[in-house]
């Protein structure tokens, strides 16, 4: 306990946060009103651009709630001087993220790309600000895709409740509807309406451009002025007024396909621009703390899980308490406990210690955002465009100034039962899987023509030369005496450290028959503390150093660098000396059994199990899964035995990224984990190879869904060590990568509006692999979409990809190498995966060389040899076909 008290004292003495280095931030406002912020970040040779237009669903015409969202979609269908095909090809060639997001008050368009492509990204945004091609014909095509997006979201019971809650809380204001839009309103929308919205609101004096990355600020600002400086400012329309009415209590009850039930209690809270937002943020963080009573519901058996979160918009926000109950369980005790907890918060206030811990964690979370290039850009966009602040540091200062008295006053004014919106989502079974007899109609489509896209000179010059980019990583790798592999990548972009680790285990291969579920039960016990610190003491120690920690076979730590050693000690204590208390075991066992009972009846589980059974031979160990009976048959001794058998240092890799010296990191890890020893020979944790599957179809009914979710999969004889994976990955970029540029996206979405998203993946393991195409669409479109997938796969086998497609795919794969180094998470995840797969840590550079040298015939041959289009198993989850 002295150790705990000392740690807290040290942490409390060092909670001040430094402001952003002004030398790394360049600001300017052009003569036309465009505000520009350039933040230099040297983490990787990557840049993120975010164009924030200060208009969203708040500004849409009455009766057309999705207008801003529709304009966002149409921004990807071309502009004067840039066709939609050219835009798609450019975005694909850049290899990174190219997308957009519509919110109530802001529509964001963002690129994340190699830094050499900054000029291309800025020119694209300049053209799109100047104008967009919005013909009725193009809108007709895009409407099909956006309506599929609406169907996808309306298939979520949680989203259905969210829409009803907004209507109740914000009636008579723009917040009464989501930015998504509705199918009936889109059917009435015309292209001229969308063009009018663009021309009214997409003006330089209504935009904020944020650029973050390893850029020269002076040269970058010159590029911005050259691209945007001559665009005329516009007179903006009047913005809508917000007159919020008192919220009337309402209860919503909905069925859900989830394996568990949910109880929500929603309250209106201050918005992002409110003087009270920092207080609301701290209140939410305190109520959601693992030391708070809501989370405690999941630890004492009242609920399966409890917590609190907030969803803030500029003018107002929503605070939400949540409780999870098992399928077949009674939600009323959970609801009553949640109401009691919030009533106590209103009448007695929040524990001041939780308030102070919440302040430290909220401030630390803003510091952690610096650990990715796009996260940094997003933090600045959020501060300027959404919160109307001068910088992210302004929010840090506001949070630091929050007092317990202010938090208590807000809780007292917020948590009034007369103004609560309550929801109870009850799990319902939709039915067992049924054999498929074909889906939808018998339509067939000609393959999308392979028209070469001629890029503008300014773009073709940027993408003409292909080369393997040099890696910026210089990891230091060592093996500790007990067998732990430690990899350290020093980075100085923030005063934080990221740690990720994994013990290579596999319950299917390592647990005795009849003990299925033992690994999940063990994972559920780690949050109950250590042999020396109980659950609340352990979390208190983490809160004192603003650390985020999780233990188990996969473990992690995020911590300010000043507290790195203390964080690792706590992580090791949790990992090596978990409390595993008897009382907690009974709670977790009941919770896990309830979760399993619902899960094995859920449409998602039944669809995945049906797919696995169709792909894998009978008796394959990967088909093992827990049942409530098996979970309830486990004992604490069996859990401890599994822990002792499978948690081995010689099967463990730890990766550390951040502001830490490799020698210091090694010393800290060795001190904390050095006493951990392994006994006996290393176990085999990899599934064996499997034969090729036969074709099949299955349908899992999902009464709560509006849209079908479809997986078309096959086993494939390609492992993560097979050189054929390079040719298949490259071919997959032609087939399913990019935005509009890939064959599947072009055929299924852009040309025919059958789906909103479609993706293809190769999932190789050590001895087996899965090849999969996934999409979501209306039930009557599944047949046409499935037929087109098979057709496009066969085309990959029948003729080589074109030279343009090959060049583009190579560019994408090569540009992803630096993009994979643009965040602590990405760096750590990449190094961890390479280590666990037994590959050299510079394997991405080697892969780049493979991609650069591949030919179109080699890609074709890989698809001929390994992909079997007529042997796909098609698994559909969603509404039953009519008739």
């Amino acid at each position: 306990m002295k150790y705990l008290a000392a740690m807290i004292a040290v942490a409390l003495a060092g909670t001040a946060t430094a402001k952003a280095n002004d030398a790394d931030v360049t600001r300017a406002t052009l003569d036309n009103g465009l505000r520009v912020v350039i933040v230099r970040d040297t983490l990787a040779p990557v840049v993120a651009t975010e164009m924030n237009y200060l208009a969203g669903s708040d500004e849409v015409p009455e009766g057309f709630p999705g207008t801003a969202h529709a304009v966002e979609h149409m921004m990807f269908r071309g502009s004067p001087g840039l066709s939609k095909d050219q835009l798609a090809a450019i975005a694909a060639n850049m290899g990174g993220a190219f997308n957009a997001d519509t919110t109530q008050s802001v529509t964001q368009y963002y690129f994340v790309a190699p830094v050499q492509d900054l000029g291309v990204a800025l020119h694209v945004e300049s053209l799109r600000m100047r104008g967009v091609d919005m013909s009725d014909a193009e809108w007709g095509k895009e409407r099909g895709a956006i309506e599929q997006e609406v169907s996808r979201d309306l298939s979520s019971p949680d989203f259905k409740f969210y829409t009803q809650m907004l209507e109740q809380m914000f009636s008579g204001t723009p917040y009464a509807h989501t930015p998504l839009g509705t199918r009936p309103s889109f059917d009435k929308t015309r292209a001229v309406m969308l063009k009018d919205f663009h021309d009214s609101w997409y003006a330089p004096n209504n935009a904020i451009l944020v650029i973050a990355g390893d850029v020269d600020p002076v040269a970058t600002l010159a590029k911005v002025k050259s691209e945007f400086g001559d665009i005329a400012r516009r007179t903006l329309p009047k913005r809508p007024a917000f007159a919020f009415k008192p919220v009337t209590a309402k209860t919503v009850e909905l069925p859900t396909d989830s394996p568990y039930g949910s109880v929500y209690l929603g309250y209106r809270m201050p918005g992002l621009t409110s003087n009270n937002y920092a207080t609301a943020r701290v209140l939410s963080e305190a109520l959601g703390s693992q030391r708070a009573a809501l989370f405690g519901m999941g630890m004492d058996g009242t609920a399966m899980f409890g917590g609190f979160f907030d969803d803030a918009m500029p003018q107002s926000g929503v605070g939400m308490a949540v409780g999870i109950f098992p399928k077949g369980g009674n939600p009323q005790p959970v609801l009553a406990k949640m109401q009691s907890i919030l009533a106590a918060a209103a009448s007695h206030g929040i524990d001041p210690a939780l308030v102070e811990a919440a302040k430290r964690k909220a401030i630390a979370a803003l510091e952690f955002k610096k650990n990715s290039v796009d996260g940094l850009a997003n933090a600045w966009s959020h501060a300027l465009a959404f919160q109307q602040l001068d910088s992210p540091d302004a929010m840090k200062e506001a949070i630091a100034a929050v007092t317990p008295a202010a938090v208590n006053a807000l809780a007292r004014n917020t948590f009034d039962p007369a103004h609560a919106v309550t929801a109870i989502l009850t799990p319902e079974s939709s039915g067992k899987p049924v054999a498929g007899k074909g889906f939808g109609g018998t339509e067939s489509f000609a393959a999308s023509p392979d028209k070469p896209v001629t890029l503008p000179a300014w773009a073709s010059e940027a993408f003409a030369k292909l080369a393997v980019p040099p890696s910026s990583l210089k990891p230091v790798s060592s093996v500790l005496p007990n067998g732990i592999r430690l990899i350290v990548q020093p980075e100085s972009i923030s005063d934080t450290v990221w740690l990720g680790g994994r013990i290579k285990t596999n319950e299917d291969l390592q647990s005795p028959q009849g003990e299925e579920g033992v690994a999940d039960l063990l994972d559920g016990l780690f949050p109950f503390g250590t042999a020396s610190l109980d659950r609340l003491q352990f979390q208190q120690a983490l809160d004192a150093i603003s650390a985020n920690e999780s233990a188990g076979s996969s473990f992690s730590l995020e911590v300010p660098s000043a507290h790195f050693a203390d964080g690792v000690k706590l992580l090791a204590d949790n990992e090596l000396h978990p409390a595993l208390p008897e009382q907690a075991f009974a709670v977790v066992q009941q919770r896990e059994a309830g979760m399993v009972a619902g899960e094995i009846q859920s449409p998602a589980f039944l669809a995945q199990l049906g797919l696995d059974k169709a792909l894998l031979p009978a008796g394959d160990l990967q088909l093992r899964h827990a049942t409530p009976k098996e979970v309830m048959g486990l004992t604490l001794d069996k859990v401890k035995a599994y822990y002792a058998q499978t948690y081995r240092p010689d099967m463990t890799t730890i990766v550390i990224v951040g502001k830490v010296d490799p020698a210091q990191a090694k010393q800290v890890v060795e001190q904390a984990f050095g006493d951990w020893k392994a006994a006996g020979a290393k176990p085999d944790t990899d599934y064996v190879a499997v034969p090729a599957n036969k074709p099949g179809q299955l349908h899992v009914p999902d009464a709560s869904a509006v849209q079908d979710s479809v997986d078309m999969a096959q086993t494939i004889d390609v492992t993560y060590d097979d050189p054929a994976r390079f040719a298949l990955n490259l071919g997959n970029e032609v087939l399913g990568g990019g935005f509009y540029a890939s064959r599947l996206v072009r055929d299924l979405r852009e040309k025919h509006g059958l789906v909103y998203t479609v993706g293809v993946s190769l999932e190789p393991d050590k001895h087996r692999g899965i090849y999969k195409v996934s999409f979501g669409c209306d039930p009557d479109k599944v047949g046409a979409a499935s037929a087109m997938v098979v057709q496009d796969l066969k085309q990959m086998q029948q003729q080589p990809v074109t030279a343009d497609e090959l060049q583009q795919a190579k560019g994408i794969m090569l540009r992803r190498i630096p993009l994979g180094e643009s965040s602590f998470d990405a760096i750590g995840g990449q190094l961890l995966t390479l280590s666990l797969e037994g590959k050299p840590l510079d394997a991405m550079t080697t892969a780049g060389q493979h991609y650069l040298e591949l030919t179109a015939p080699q890609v074709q041959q890989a698809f001929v040899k390994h992909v079997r289009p007529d042997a796909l198993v098609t698994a559909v989850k969603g509404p039953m076909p009519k008739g």
Side-chain angles (χ1 to χ4, degrees), residues 167-183:
E167 291 171 4
Q168 189 71 10
M169 282 196 178
F170 303 113
S171 175
T173 76
Y175 288 175
H177 58 77
T178 75
L180 181 68
T182 64
R183 295 186 78 148

Side-chain angles (χ1 to χ4, degrees), residues 404-416:
V407 171
N408 292 338
L410 181 58
R412 191 164 51 249
N413 293 332
T414 299
F415 301 129
D416 183 343

Side-chain angles (χ1 to χ4, degrees), residues 34-46:
L34 177 65
R35 294 166 61 189
V36 184
V37 175
I38 302 167
V39 187
R40 188 164 183 267
D41 181 331
T42 58
L43 179 61
V46 169

Side-chain angles (χ1 to χ4, degrees), residues 607-627:
Q608 185 59 57
L609 181 62
L611 181 61
D612 289 344
K613 285 184 174 179
L615 293 173
L616 302 173
D620 188 87
L621 293 177
Q622 195 171 341
L623 295 173
R624 292 181 69 183
H625 66 85
T627 66

Side-chain angles (χ1 to χ4, degrees), residues 206-263:
N206 195 44
I208 301 172
L209 173 60
V210 174
I211 301 171
D214 192 7
V215 298
D216 179 332
V218 175
T220 298
L221 182 57
K223 288 180 182 178
V224 172
K225 290 179 177 178
S226 174
E227 291 290 352
F228 296 92
D230 65 342
I231 302 177
R233 66 167 57 234
R234 297 171 191 159
T235 301
L236 301 175
K238 184 179 179 181
R239 297 187 186 274
F242 285 82
F244 296 113
K245 305 172 186 176
V247 179
T248 303
K250 180 179 181 179
T251 297
V252 176
E253 296 191 23
L254 292 169
T256 177
D257 64 347
S258 171
Y260 49 79
S262 304
V263 178

Side-chain angles (χ1 to χ4, degrees), residues 174-526:
Y175 288 175
H177 58 77
T178 75
L180 181 68
T182 64
R183 295 186 78 148
S185 68
F186 287 135
D187 288 339
K188 296 186 294 182
T189 299
R190 298 294 175 261
V192 66
M193 300 165 59
L194 305 181
K195 187 176 188 317
D196 181 65
F197 188 92
H198 174 278
D199 293 348
S200 298
W201 294 105
Y202 281 46
N205 51 309
N206 195 44
I208 301 172
L209 173 60
V210 174
I211 301 171
D214 192 7
V215 298
D216 179 332
V218 175
T220 298
L221 182 57
K223 288 180 182 178
V224 172
K225 290 179 177 178
S226 174
E227 291 290 352
F228 296 92
D230 65 342
I231 302 177
R233 66 167 57 234
R234 297 171 191 159
T235 301
L236 301 175
K238 184 179 179 181
R239 297 187 186 274
F242 285 82
F244 296 113
K245 305 172 186 176
V247 179
T248 303
K250 180 179 181 179
T251 297
V252 176
E253 296 191 23
L254 292 169
T256 177
D257 64 347
S258 171
Y260 49 79
S262 304
V263 178
Y264 294 103
L265 274 174
Y267 301 85
R268 196 157 70 199
M269 292 183 72
L272 293 168
T273 59
S274 167
N275 290 334
N276 279 330
Y277 174 67
T279 304
R281 174 85 180 268
V282 173
L283 173 61
S284 297
E285 187 80 43
L287 288 171
S289 166
Q290 291 190 30
R291 293 157 59 194
L294 284 169
F295 185 85
M297 294 193 308
M299 309 303 279
D300 65 14
T302 303
M304 299 172 74
F305 171 82
F308 193 93
F309 63 93
D310 66 283
D311 178 24
M313 298 164 281
Q315 303 298 326
S316 187
V318 176
M320 193 88 67
V322 60
I324 304 300
F325 64 93
K327 182 181 177 72
N330 183 2
Q332 293 305 318
V334 178
L335 174 60
K337 182 67 173 179
M338 293 165 60
Q339 292 169 330
S340 172
I341 291 170
L342 294 180
S347 60
H348 302 301
I350 309 294
D351 182 349
L354 289 183
V355 172
E356 291 305 315
K359 290 169 61 175
R360 290 194 300 274
K361 294 204 77 171
I363 291 170
L366 294 171
E367 183 71 12
F368 291 139
K369 281 186 174 290
K370 295 180 182 178
N371 295 341
S372 74
V373 174
D374 60 322
L376 182 61
N378 190 258
W380 277 88
S381 289
H382 193 74
L384 273 61
F386 290 82
Q387 296 180 280
Q388 299 176 16
L389 297 174
D390 185 58
S391 75
D393 284 331
M395 181 47 57
K396 290 183 182 180
E397 294 169 0
I399 291 171
V402 171
T403 64
V407 171
N408 292 338
L410 181 58
R412 191 164 51 249
N413 293 332
T414 299
F415 301 129
D416 183 343
H419 303 304
V421 178
T422 305
I424 299 175
L425 277 58
T426 304
E428 291 185 1
S429 297
S430 298
K432 297 181 179 179
V434 296
K437 298 179 180 179
F439 306 100
T442 58
E443 294 178 80
S444 63
F445 298 87
S448 181
D450 291 324
K451 297 178 182 177
V453 178
T454 303
L455 293 179
W458 51 269
S460 61
E461 291 171 4
F463 304 132
K465 185 178 179 180
L466 296 180
V468 179
S471 173
S472 60
L473 301 184
K474 294 181 174 59
V476 177
S477 177
S478 59
V479 178
L480 305 188
N482 61 0
I484 293 176
R485 185 176 187 187
L486 175 64
I487 303 168
V488 183
Q489 173 60 37
E491 298 288 354
S492 58
I493 202 66
S494 75
D495 293 324
T496 66
V497 179
W498 178 100
L499 181 153
R502 184 178 156 195
I503 307 165
K504 204 170 180 188
T505 66
N506 187 333
E507 180 195 316
D508 292 341
L509 275 64
Q510 294 180 281
S511 67
Q513 195 68 31
E515 295 186 17
E516 288 81 1
V518 65
D520 287 340
L521 214 164
L522 173 60
D523 282 342
L525 287 169
F526 280 101

